[in-house]
Amino acid sequence: MIREPAMPTEIPPRSGTAFMLRRGEVLRVIDPIGGQVSDMVAFIADAPGESLSNGRTFDYEETLRLTTGNRLWSNLSRPIVEIIEDSVGTHDFLLTPCSEATFRHFYPGRPVHRGCHGNLAEALAPHAIVPAAIPTAFNIFMNVPIGAEGRIKVEPPKSKAGDFIRLRALEDLIVGLTACSAYDSCGGSFKPIHYAIEGASDAQR
Amino acid sequence: MIREPAMPTEIPPRSGTAFMLRRGEVLRVIDPIGGQVSDMVAFIADAPGESLSNGRTFDYEETLRLTTGNRLWSNLSRPIVEIIEDSVGTHDFLLTPCSEATFRHFYPGRPVHRGCHGNLAEALAPHAIVPAAIPTAFNIFMNVPIGAEGRIKVEPPKSKAGDFIRLRALEDLIVGLTACSAYDSCGGSFKPIHYAIEGASDAQR
């Protein structure tokens, strides 16, 4: 029997959510309009303090550019997510979620927002995850080219309407996910993000 | 009155230590032989859960290549250390401390060591810092060039005998510091690291 994939859920502009993703399930993150970023963090459900780690991922994957076939690792050296499909290929794992402090720093004189960090903090609080425990996020669709001498800058995402990434959970995870709030990372406008959770059987397709 | 800088303390090969570094004091980390790496982590003494963050540092410094004039930031957006002098200019802030797991992964068939992560965990335990709280380290003298498509590899350090870096504490910090244990990061041999703490008055020189 061929089933339709789960209907996507919308994360409204400048907001975030958190949910359980069971081992074997696949998270599909979709950019419905194009040019939007979604910050993703993940915590192992039964191991307090163990979470997504950019440093461990760079160690084991030996690249800063993560796409289909790469795995994302925890701070205690467990692979926790595998990228199984990716229609964009440009994501960032260097930078942290935008926050009140980053708005004040990068956009002086413009309205301050609690940003992805504040949105993640609220969404993760019911899971007993404190703000200081939010790690550097895997910033889906975020476009951060590395220039000469290691200089980095944030450019508009390369994602077009309907582009997506699919990530298979390798452990039971608490996932935090946003529709990014910063001016630069989404090219100056604020858009929604869609996501869907495909069951373990859907995930094989 | 001109005083001599504090005499350096030796960190023996493949070991680590932890100590308090007060706001205004300067930590001098020296490579006494050349070609050795020292992993540094830092925790704000009076703020449990607040520690060195590579992601926040990349955010605010807008570069992956940190040297004199750059500051290292905490996960809660506070600058906690400033690099005030640096005779090498090549350090890494992408990769995590080597550990039992990284030895098994990268050096199959060779003797496993608890690595910098294990050494830091032991040294930091009396300060109530658990292993899972050890972040991606600022890897002093570590040479990790970034190649095409973001590929990274570990090459021997560029530091020569007597090379050093000086870091001024901007908050009261608990610092963890190692003489690296991994085969690759120190060019295949294991060497000591020296460090000294210069008082706030020394730090002006």
Side-chain angles (χ1 to χ4, degrees):
Chain A
M1 184 180 100
I2 296 176
R3 292 192 293 150
E4 291 300 310
M7 281 295 293
T9 300
E10 178 162 302
I11 304 175
R14 307 188 100 180
S15 72
T17 188
F19 48 84
M20 287 290 306
L21 188 70
R22 298 283 176 193
R23 181 175 177 159
E25 290 179 337
V26 169
L27 172 65
R28 181 193 291 259
V29 181
I30 305 136
D31 185 347
I33 297 174
Q36 175 59 310
V37 164
S38 178
D39 287 11
M40 185 187 84
V41 293
F43 302 81
I44 298 194
D46 60 358
E50 188 171 356
S51 61
L52 194 61
S53 165
N54 69 342
R56 287 276 176 231
T57 301
F58 297 150
D59 274 335
Y60 292 117
E61 300 298 315
E62 302 183 58
T63 183
L64 307 182
R65 294 289 174 225
L66 301 152
T67 184
T68 306
N70 288 121
R71 295 183 294 177
L72 310 185
W73 294 67
S74 81
N75 56 331
L76 295 178
S77 287
R78 278 202 278 186
I80 59 175
V81 153
E82 181 177 359
I83 303 174
I84 58 172
E85 198 174 358
D86 177 9
S87 72
V88 179
T90 298
H91 314 284
D92 169 70
F93 207 6
L94 296 168
L95 303 180
T96 47
C98 58
S99 67
E100 279 194 21
T102 64
F103 273 86
R104 291 184 208 285
H105 181 95
F106 289 109
Y107 311 114
R110 297 177 76 177
V112 169
H113 191 273
R114 66 179 184 177
C116 287
H117 194 270
N119 288 327
L120 288 168
E122 181 179 337
L124 291 165
H127 299 278
I129 294 164
V130 298
I134 296 172
T136 301
F138 182 61
N139 302 303
I140 295 168
F141 311 132
M142 192 172 187
N143 181 15
V144 183
I146 300 168
E149 299 298 316
R151 300 294 299 177
I152 50 178
K153 57 180 175 175
V154 177
E155 296 197 344
K158 297 181 177 177
S159 49
K160 308 295 181 197
D163 270 331
F164 66 92
I165 187 171
R166 292 172 72 226
L167 307 115
R168 177 183 287 129
L170 306 177
E171 303 289 343
D172 289 347
L173 301 174
I174 300 159
V175 171
L177 196 67
T178 73
C180 186
S181 310
Y183 300 102
D184 282 350
S185 62
C186 48
S189 67
F190 309 117
K191 303 162 194 162
I193 283 288
H194 290 178
Y195 73 97
I197 297 173
E198 305 169 7
S201 56
D202 300 315
Q204 304 305 318
R205 298 188 296 168
Chain B
M1 182 179 100
I2 296 176
R3 291 192 293 151
E4 290 301 309
M7 281 295 294
T9 300
E10 178 162 303
I11 304 175
R14 306 188 102 178
S15 72
T17 188
F19 48 84
M20 286 291 305
L21 187 71
R22 298 284 175 192
R23 182 174 177 161
E25 289 179 337
V26 169
L27 172 65
R28 179 192 295 258
V29 181
I30 306 136
D31 184 347
I33 296 173
Q36 174 59 310
V37 163
S38 178
D39 287 12
M40 185 186 84
V41 292
F43 302 81
I44 297 193
D46 60 358
E50 187 170 356
S51 62
L52 195 60
S53 164
N54 69 342
R56 286 277 175 230
T57 301
F58 298 151
D59 274 334
Y60 293 117
E61 300 299 316
E62 300 182 61
T63 182
L64 307 182
R65 294 292 174 223
L66 301 153
T67 185
T68 306
N70 288 122
R71 295 184 294 177
L72 310 185
W73 294 68
S74 82
N75 55 331
L76 295 179
S77 288
R78 276 203 279 186
I80 59 176
V81 153
E82 181 177 0
I83 303 174
I84 59 171
E85 199 174 357
D86 177 8
S87 72
V88 179
T90 300
H91 314 284
D92 170 69
F93 208 5
L94 296 168
L95 303 179
T96 47
C98 58
S99 67
E100 279 193 22
T102 65
F103 273 87
R104 291 184 208 287
H105 181 95
F106 289 108
Y107 312 114
R110 297 177 77 176
V112 169
H113 191 272
R114 68 181 184 173
C116 288
H117 194 270
N119 288 328
L120 289 169
E122 182 180 337
L124 291 165
H127 299 277
I129 294 164
V130 299
I134 296 172
T136 302
F138 182 61
N139 303 303
I140 296 169
F141 311 133
M142 193 172 186
N143 182 13
V144 183
I146 300 167
E149 299 300 314
R151 300 294 298 176
I152 51 177
K153 57 180 175 175
V154 178
E155 295 198 343
K158 295 181 177 178
S159 49
K160 308 297 180 194
D163 270 331
F164 66 93
I165 187 172
R166 293 173 71 227
L167 306 116
R168 177 184 287 129
L170 306 178
E171 301 289 344
D172 289 347
L173 301 174
I174 300 159
V175 171
L177 197 67
T178 73
C180 185
S181 309
Y183 299 102
D184 283 349
S185 60
C186 48
S189 67
F190 309 117
K191 303 162 195 163
I193 283 288
H194 290 178
Y195 74 96
I197 298 174
E198 306 169 9
S201 57
D202 300 315
Q204 303 306 318
R205 298 189 297 166

